[in-house]
Amino acid sequence: MKSIDLSKISKIFDVNDREKYWREQWKKLRVHSRRKNTKQKQNFVIDSPPPTVSGSLHIGHIFSYTHQDLIARYKRMRGFNVVYPMGWDDNGLPTERRVQNYFGVRAEPNVPYIVNIDVEKEKERLGIKKQNQLIINRQNFIEMCSLVTSEDEKAFKEVFERMGYSIDWGDLYTTIDEKSRRIAQRSFLDLYSKKHIYQLESPTMWDVDYQTAVAQAEVEDREKTGAYHDIEFVVDQTDNERFIISTTRPELLAACVGVTAHPDDERYKHLFGKSAITPAFFSKVPIFSSSEVDPEKGTGILMVCTFGDQTDVQWWKDYSLKLRQIIGKNGRIIHREFGTDGWDSVNPSLANKNYNLIIGKRIPSVKKLMVEILSDKQNSVLGDKKPLIDIPKQINHQVRFYEKGDNPLEYLTTRQWFVRLLDKKNQLIDSGKSISWHPSFMYKRFENWTNNLNADWCISRQRYFGVPIPVWYPLNEKKLPNYDNPIFPNENDLPIDPQISVPNGYTESQRNSPGGFIAEIDVFDTWFTSSLSPQIVSKWGDADDETKELFPMDIRPQSHEIIRTWAFYTIAKALLHNSNIPWKNIVISGWVLDPDRKKMSKSKGNVITPIESIDKFGSDSVRYWAASFRLGADATNDESIFKVGSKLVNKIFNASKFVLSHSAEGEEITNDLDKSFLFELKKTCDIATKAYEEFEFSIALQEIEKFFWNSFTDNYIEIVKLRARNIDNKTDQSSAVLTLRKTLNIILRMFSPFLPTITDEIWSWVFAEETDVKSVHLYHWPESKEIEKYIDVQTNEIFLIACDIIGLVRKAKSEKGLSLNSPLEELIIISNPSDQKKIRVFIDDLKNSSGAKIISFQNEDNKDINIKII
């Protein structure tokens, strides 16, 4: 057993230099590479979240991605063939917004393609100001998206590698690459054949900024200022009976198609079955009853518009109300004419005069204009007083937004593709119950979301950089598309772009021609592809399909805010395609919060990038910070924890130099104190292993760290360091050195998932040669049986007794103003005879560590041991 030459070891650990060195070594050793075509029971498969490629990673990403890497490294050491892929989510609205802002462009249909486009030169040629957007061709826009995302992906990969993530980059995919497009389109065809997909022209949530439909899972409520506007309506064919509707959306008055109140509301019961006339636009609309109305809210009677919210949509369907859409896809009021079919008015001239004032205006402007219009008494039905009763009452209320949008959502009637989910709520809940949730309470969020689902999944998006929906439609002789008979490609031809490819039986010349075909121009919702991450990794349906070996996967790591999106949709896809669950476990990380206890996110502009922390403290210290928090718990970007991690790294470095600078000739651990100490090591190993098996890595770290500081460095090393140098007693010296080295070997392995760089650095000094394993990450996780052979149950308590006495000595020296290394004339131990017998076993070590020339005993029957020093 040889020792290291300290003169060849640096005095300090150069974090950045050694991290770079070990990253290269891990690549050479293929530490993170998996074996292909391995049986499922030998695999441990991680469904790692593909981060959205739109800018830079922030510290919140590092927090959650570290958690999954801890599990990956542990499972690899447990002998599993760890399948740890990575994907980049590079299609979708965030990417498009980034490209639009970065290049100053916007894509629109029917714009010519420009080869090797130079945006600045093109703007100059057309006389477009630098700050204004250039309108470009769809394909030019897609090329720009690909360019930006490829650069972002390089930056993302560099950060992940700097963090020491044990990702198998051989399994890398992007959600826009050929494989992902093929599998997403295969998913569409499969769901359509199983009658899980349909298309429909109906009211859909619409974001006016991105100008696309959105799904329920992408919607969030935000508190906004608003106002109640009390507007007077008149009951038709009565003696001028009036009632007041209090609304926060006066801009939709022109779209009013009905009025409703609760069936039991005595104030309005007599009105049901009659009609009301709206002010300003003078439309006759039916008055009906609905139990959905809250009599306590506002005046208890509501106007039903096309469309204010989801309830308006439902009333429109249930009561066959007229369709009066006044908001366009860009959020501006579109042209309509009262007095035409569907736009009845008892005073069309004045109605059109008022309506012309708001055409082309955005919603905030229309609100203000409607206040002015309703403040003019000529716009009341009876012409005797202004329809707006009193000034608007200011309020704060919850308004629905697309999670990435800047303006409230609208409901517009558009043709969209949907996946049927409302009829599968019970099946989805059963699937969720079949998965182990960590922490377990997170399952309730999934169950609540599923139970509260009120719409099928809208999967079509009116954007450009996404996976095309693989459909064409036949055109009749008048060039009208037959949406009820879509044309699908052969599965062998996937992936296809219907705007480029031609359906079987047609030629390119028939595109957009009478009797020919037209391409679907929409793309899939990004979640439609991301939800297939298990199928993409396992290459579902391809020639090299690994579904049997990799599906269902073992864990899905993710944060809790995307339970309703990524987790939900992935569970849905696995149910619909595979009649199975996508993974056995789902592990949920918390958020990283800013100083105001708000979630860090790029959209909020409160993010901190991880590079500065990695440069300053090293990736091991940043990993230590992330590993310190339990699953589901939120964290703060606390620099003090990074510092604790750095201190731990340096302590491991220095303690290892001490341990490995000693050599011994013997090969047996004979000393009872050493055996007792190893018993504590075994307990720590058992607790850490159990915690890891339950994905409680923070508990594992806590126990390992506590043992390292309290038991190993603060006590055991201090107790035996003189014995480890005493070659006069080779048996006891050898026992101490063997125990030190055995303990360090096991500690390095237990710390290695958390601190991969420092542990491999120390491992390379001695243990790589001794074990013939060049990286600690290729060695096995420590097991109890490695330690049990050295343990004697008769001696198990000795080390803890020694720690208690050393603690009392340190306290007594401190109280007397002595340094810890000060020698003592005598140490008097006050204890019962049974404990004295145990203490005598390590009395020489006790003399050395306490500095006492003499140790004497004083009998006392108390259980607790006390001391006196002289």
Side-chain angles (χ1 to χ4, degrees), residues 670-687:
T670 56
N671 186 282
D672 287 342
L673 177 69
D674 300 339
K675 294 177 180 180
S676 180
F677 168 71
L678 289 174
F679 175 69
E680 297 303 315
L681 174 61
K682 176 190 175 300
K683 288 198 298 184
T684 300
C685 184
D686 288 343
I687 294 170

Side-chain angles (χ1 to χ4, degrees), residues 145-164:
C145 290
S146 298
L147 178 66
V148 169
T149 54
S150 66
E151 291 303 311
D152 285 345
E153 286 160 11
K154 292 176 186 176
F156 278 32
K157 183 179 180 182
E158 182 182 354
V159 174
F160 281 180
E161 288 188 325
R162 287 201 63 184
M163 283 299 298

Side-chain angles (χ1 to χ4, degrees), residues 228 246 248 267 293-302 309 397:
Y228 273 120
S246 192
T248 60
R267 295 170 294 178
V293 179
D294 181 359
E296 304 300 320
K297 188 174 181 179
T299 57
I301 190 165
L302 312 177
D309 56 24
H397 61 150

Side-chain angles (χ1 to χ4, degrees), residues 239-251:
D239 294 331
N240 301 334
E241 183 176 357
R242 315 167 193 240
F243 58 88
I244 306 298
I245 286 178
S246 192
T247 180
T248 60
R249 301 209 62 181
E251 71 274 14

Side-chain angles (χ1 to χ4, degrees), residues 237-424:
Q237 296 180 336
T238 64
D239 294 331
N240 301 334
E241 183 176 357
R242 315 167 193 240
F243 58 88
I244 306 298
I245 286 178
S246 192
T247 180
T248 60
R249 301 209 62 181
E251 71 274 14
L252 290 180
L253 183 59
C256 181
V257 290
V259 169
T260 185
H262 195 278
D264 298 330
D265 195 326
E266 296 294 337
R267 295 170 294 178
Y268 307 114
K269 268 187 174 182
H270 67 289
L271 299 180
F272 300 144
K274 297 181 180 179
S275 296
I277 302 177
T278 65
F281 303 104
F282 314 106
S283 298
K284 286 186 180 182
V285 296
I287 305 172
F288 60 91
S289 65
S290 172
S291 58
E292 296 295 319
V293 179
D294 181 359
E296 304 300 320
K297 188 174 181 179
T299 57
I301 190 165
L302 312 177
M303 66 175 183
V304 181
C305 302
T306 313
F307 291 97
D309 56 24
Q310 184 63 42
T311 312
D312 278 353
V313 174
Q314 196 59 49
W315 282 326
W316 170 75
K317 291 178 180 177
D318 292 345
Y319 295 92
S320 301
L321 303 175
K322 290 182 179 180
L323 183 68
R324 287 182 180 162
Q325 194 85 58
I326 64 169
I327 299 176
K329 293 179 179 179
N330 60 358
R332 295 180 183 272
I333 301 299
I334 56 180
H335 182 271
R336 298 297 187 194
E337 186 175 353
F338 284 89
T340 60
D341 186 30
W343 294 85
D344 304 330
S345 173
V346 297
N347 189 347
S349 176
L350 186 51
N352 286 320
K353 179 182 176 182
N354 290 327
Y355 190 77
N356 287 338
L357 294 174
I358 64 174
I359 291 175
K361 301 291 193 301
R362 289 190 175 275
I363 298 306
S365 299
V366 179
K367 282 183 186 284
K368 294 177 182 177
L369 286 169
M370 287 308 304
V371 169
E372 295 177 13
I373 291 170
L374 294 170
S375 296
D376 188 339
K377 67 179 182 180
Q378 73 165 335
N379 291 316
S380 72
V381 176
L382 301 177
D384 57 346
K385 60 179 181 177
K386 62 181 183 180
L388 184 66
I389 310 300
D390 209 353
I391 60 173
K393 305 176 185 68
Q394 297 298 311
I395 61 166
N396 288 325
H397 61 150
Q398 296 293 317
V399 180
R400 305 189 96 185
F401 283 77
Y402 169 51
E403 60 189 357
K404 294 178 174 64
D406 299 322
N407 285 289
L409 287 170
E410 300 295 345
Y411 283 81
L412 304 187
T413 302
T414 55
R415 185 183 58 82
Q416 305 291 344
W417 285 95
F418 298 87
V419 175
R420 302 182 198 275
L421 294 180
L422 289 179
D423 60 346
K424 302 174 183 68

Side-chain angles (χ1 to χ4, degrees), residues 643-689:
K643 290 178 179 177
V644 173
S646 292
K647 183 180 177 182
L648 175 61
V649 168
N650 288 325
K651 187 67 174 179
I652 292 172
F653 182 72
N654 291 319
S656 299
K657 286 196 290 184
F658 169 80
V659 171
L660 297 177
S661 66
H662 294 79
S663 62
E665 295 180 4
E667 296 182 358
E668 292 186 12
I669 296 173
T670 56
N671 186 282
D672 287 342
L673 177 69
D674 300 339
K675 294 177 180 180
S676 180
F677 168 71
L678 289 174
F679 175 69
E680 297 303 315
L681 174 61
K682 176 190 175 300
K683 288 198 298 184
T684 300
C685 184
D686 288 343
I687 294 170
T689 302

